[in-house]
Amino acid sequence: MRPDTLDAPEDDLVSRLQQGDAAAYREAVRLYTPGMLAVARFYLDPASAEDMVQDTWLTVISAIQTFEGRASLKTWLHQIVANRAKNRIRDRHREVALDTDDPLDPALAERFGDNRRWSVPPSARSSDSAQALLENNVLSDCLDKHLGQLPEHQRSALMLYEAHQHRAEDVCNLLDVSAANLRVLLHRARQRIFLMVEGFQETGEC
Amino acid sequence: MLMCKDLAVIASDYIDGELGTGGKLSVRMHLMMCRHCRTFIGQLKQSTVLMAAHSSQQAPADYIARLDEEIHRALTQGIGSNQGDY
Ligand SMILES: [Zn+2]
């Protein structure tokens, strides 16, 4: 479903990186930094995450020589960040505290009655396609805002799974979470986005 | 019997095809009878597509510029070149 093999353009990018081509680095930095930050921020505060990703890029300049293409470049880069971040928190005897106890967002949970049926059902709005919704700039900005407000753990999981198209197995590995916990993180994040879009379509406001 | 709230709990598992045959069947039975849950599943699916399609979460431009600069410096100072076994 989500192939993790080298495709030709990536192959080309790798060899240009190995040659120390500055333009290739600019390209790679733009392609892979958002995902690398998503991994780092799962473990670290935003400022430390940025520093760690910067350090990682500087390491990559020499490490790329030993890149063998067993994983995609994306996965390889994300893994370097994950390993460094895991070591960092291990050294500090810290643990990532996950909130995965409740699969339902509180704001959604309270919309069911004691009989476990909807008491405040989802509003049956126009059936705009996701594409049509995305063309709405105000909604697009609103989506940005709400994604920014998601708890760091949910956002990292969501970004790596949905936007960066990692396989669930890889996300579990990068974030050191169980498959069950990843499911909860994804589900909670999707509920936040559902609630946001619903509110936006009802009120026209973010 | 699977009620609306139970379905909401496993909605993402249903969407991602992570439910077993029995689970899938009870969700489908419920969806046939309950239009609220049909709406919910449809909209949760849509949220997922929105997320995947949305290329937000770009790294801040000034941060990217800083990375470009640091990498450029390292490259021109020769860090990284002639290292490794190649
Ligand atoms: Zn229902």
Side-chain angles (χ1 to χ4, degrees):
Chain A
M1 183 169 97
R2 294 180 180 212
D4 192 32
T5 48
L6 272 185
D7 47 30
E10 189 184 285
D11 220 356
D12 177 57
L13 182 58
V14 169
S15 51
R16 283 163 57 219
L17 291 172
Q18 287 172 335
Q19 288 155 20
D21 175 1
Y25 275 96
R26 279 197 297 277
E27 193 181 327
V29 158
R30 280 153 187 77
L31 273 175
Y32 302 115
T33 301
M36 291 162 78
L37 282 174
V39 174
R41 286 176 152 211
F42 184 85
Y43 297 99
L44 306 169
D45 64 273
S48 311
E50 288 196 354
D51 289 346
M52 168 157 293
V53 170
Q54 180 176 329
D55 284 351
T56 302
W57 275 114
L58 296 177
T59 318
V60 163
I61 293 174
S62 56
I64 191 71
Q65 302 299 337
T66 60
F67 177 78
E68 288 173 340
R70 267 192 293 246
S72 67
L73 180 60
K74 173 183 75 182
T75 300
W76 184 73
L77 289 167
H78 291 180
Q79 244 152 19
I80 297 177
V81 174
N83 290 340
R84 295 180 138 219
K86 286 180 208 175
N87 286 336
R88 171 85 63 93
I89 61 166
R90 201 172 299 137
D91 290 348
R92 294 185 184 171
H93 306 286
R94 278 191 39 227
E95 271 183 24
V96 176
L98 284 183
D99 174 22
T100 52
D101 292 339
D102 198 337
L104 284 188
D105 189 287
L108 190 68
E110 70 186 20
R111 291 171 59 169
F112 299 92
D114 291 338
N115 59 4
R116 305 182 75 76
R117 290 179 195 275
W118 290 96
S119 57
V120 185
S123 62
R125 59 189 185 219
S126 66
S127 56
D128 286 346
S129 70
Q131 195 49 48
L133 288 176
L134 280 171
E135 280 160 14
N136 181 331
N137 288 333
V138 188
L139 176 75
S140 223
D141 290 348
C142 188
L143 198 54
D144 270 343
K145 187 180 137 194
H146 279 78
L147 286 170
Q149 289 169 352
L150 285 179
E152 212 66 68
H153 296 138
Q154 289 179 23
R155 184 169 56 202
S156 292
L158 197 65
M159 292 310 298
L160 293 170
Y161 187 75
E162 306 288 6
H164 297 280
Q165 295 278 298
H166 274 296
R167 293 171 301 191
E169 190 191 333
D170 289 338
V171 182
C172 289
N173 203 297
L174 289 169
L175 304 185
D176 224 358
V177 296
S178 68
N181 282 350
L182 175 63
R183 303 278 340 145
V184 174
L185 289 173
L186 288 174
H187 190 43
R188 289 287 298 261
R190 286 173 182 175
Q191 290 168 65
R192 292 301 325 163
I193 303 304
F194 159 80
L195 290 165
M196 181 281 281
V197 177
E198 184 188 49
F200 179 83
Q201 293 211 315
E202 266 171 17
T203 63
E205 281 167 23
C206 187
Chain B
M1 194 172 122
L2 191 81
M3 302 300 288
C4 302
K5 194 174 182 180
D6 310 318
L7 186 139
V9 168
I10 56 172
S12 280
D13 294 337
Y14 176 72
I15 290 172
D16 293 339
E18 298 275 339
L19 289 180
T21 320
K24 228 182 290 178
L25 198 66
S26 25
V27 170
R28 285 198 184 131
M29 296 271 287
H30 183 100
L31 289 179
M32 276 196 290
M33 299 178 305
C34 178
R35 79 188 152 88
H36 293 322
C37 283
R38 282 200 297 276
T39 306
F40 178 67
I41 288 278
Q43 293 180 358
L44 197 65
K45 232 185 243 175
Q46 185 189 56
S47 309
T48 307
V49 177
L50 279 181
M51 247 312 301
H54 210 255
S55 56
S56 65
Q57 295 292 301
Q58 294 305 331
D62 53 341
Y63 178 63
I64 293 291
R66 197 172 94 203
L67 291 179
D68 283 345
E69 211 173 289
E70 291 290 332
I71 290 171
H72 182 73
R73 186 175 306 149
L75 284 173
T76 50
Q77 283 172 354
I79 299 170
S81 61
N82 304 321
Q83 288 187 15
D85 301 321
Y86 298 85

